[in-house]
Amino acid sequence: EAQVTQNPRYLITVTGKKLTVTCSQNMNHEYMSWYRQDPGLGLRQIYYSMNVEVTDKGDVPEGYKVSRKEKRNFPLILESPSPNQTSLYFCASSFLGTGYNEQFFGPGTRLTVL
Amino acid sequence: SQQGEEDPQALSIQEGENATMNCSYKTSINNLQWYRQNSGRGLVHLILIRSNEREKHSGRLRVTLDTSKKSSSLLITASRAADTASYFCATDAQLVNNAGGTSYGKLTFGQGTILTVHP
């Protein structure tokens, strides 16, 4: 089944404790992206990647890191999480860039930073 | 600044009625997409309309695009209780990357319209 998977789905952590949210897609998509969703603010793009070893900042990259060493994986790293990073996070992927194709979304990761 | 902005923020209708949601944006686009999100779950793509298209249909969905007004509308006809969800428009944006070229990498979402369809 074609899908985008994220792990973990739920995570409660404390300020400053490094964490990684994994994202994997099995559709051979070149493009992958991370978003965060907050009430009243909609979805905001954190980082995106056009292909392996190619990443760019989105609207709200501060406090996050990403890497794209393999085509199928695009992990989101929070080196020192803070409470303002409490949010619902989505990974998405698509062929080419957003100018051409729909994005497929993962199920989301609900992160709480205490 | 917010690229796609939906209107209304919330819409409540009875089953069988039509639901219309609007989206406005600020800059030139290549295409505009509509997504649906059931509560707390991932977004699902509904329909994509390119900048050179004016109207597109998919089942009970009809999307229009007016690039002169920088606006789009999503019409759901004969709504059902199962249509209850949040609906988002999303626009792409051409970017100049560090090498000076152009990349299509930024999909900007509006804040969404919450649609409630009462049985």
Side-chain angles (χ1 to χ4, degrees):
Chain A
E1 179 190 355
Q3 60 182 347
V4 178
T5 56
Q6 295 178 228
N7 282 292
R9 295 288 315 280
Y10 302 91
L11 179 60
I12 300 174
T13 189
V14 295
T15 299
K17 186 176 181 181
K18 180 179 179 180
L19 66 92
T20 299
V21 184
T22 64
C23 173
S24 183
Q25 51 92 6
N26 62 1
M27 294 168 279
N28 202 34
H29 287 163
E30 297 92 354
Y31 179 91
M32 297 186 74
S33 179
W34 277 102
Y35 299 89
R36 61 178 288 174
Q37 185 176 29
D38 303 288
L41 296 176
L43 274 85
R44 294 177 292 169
Q45 190 176 47
I46 303 171
Y47 269 96
Y48 66 95
S49 170
M50 297 294 285
N51 215 323
V52 175
E53 302 292 359
V54 180
T55 62
D56 273 303
K57 296 177 181 179
D59 287 317
V60 287
E62 294 77 21
Y64 304 94
K65 286 175 59 177
V66 293
S67 68
R68 188 88 182 272
K69 293 183 169 57
E70 303 166 285
K71 196 171 186 179
R72 63 183 293 127
N73 296 323
F74 191 45
L76 179 69
I77 303 158
L78 284 72
E79 293 272 1
S80 183
S82 62
N84 64 13
Q85 292 178 299
T86 293
S87 187
L88 179 58
Y89 291 86
F90 290 102
C91 180
S93 71
S94 72
F95 286 115
L96 299 174
T98 59
Y100 301 98
N101 288 286
E102 65 178 282
Q103 290 196 5
F104 292 82
F105 281 77
T109 295
R110 189 168 293 280
L111 172 66
T112 301
V113 183
L114 302 174
Chain B
S1 62
Q2 195 77 5
Q3 171 71 329
E5 296 187 5
E6 287 92 342
D7 170 61
Q9 290 187 337
L11 181 61
S12 181
I13 59 174
Q14 295 296 128
E15 215 168 23
E17 294 180 339
N18 295 341
T20 299
M21 290 159 268
N22 303 298
C23 170
S24 61
Y25 57 92
K26 294 182 172 65
T27 62
S28 296
I29 62 171
N30 292 306
N31 68 59
L32 186 144
Q33 304 178 31
W34 285 91
Y35 288 79
R36 165 194 168 125
Q37 182 183 34
N38 286 82
S39 181
R41 306 187 70 171
L43 280 72
V44 176
H45 182 266
L46 294 176
I47 195 165
L48 180 153
I49 185 165
R50 301 191 190 283
S51 59
N52 60 354
E53 297 175 314
R54 292 296 167 258
E55 188 171 311
K56 204 162 184 180
H57 297 254
S58 176
R60 293 184 296 113
L61 306 180
R62 181 173 80 99
V63 169
T64 61
L65 179 64
D66 187 336
T67 53
S68 66
K69 295 181 179 177
K70 291 187 169 57
S71 67
S72 173
S73 67
L74 171 67
L75 169 67
I76 303 175
T77 60
S79 64
R80 305 165 182 167
D83 294 328
T84 294
S86 293
Y87 292 82
F88 295 87
C89 70
T91 55
D92 71 331
Q94 290 184 328
L95 295 176
V96 177
N97 62 23
N98 290 336
T102 301
S103 67
Y104 300 88
K106 193 170 171 13
L107 196 63
T108 304
F109 287 81
Q111 295 185 15
T113 293
I114 301 171
L115 173 64
T116 303
V117 182
H118 300 281

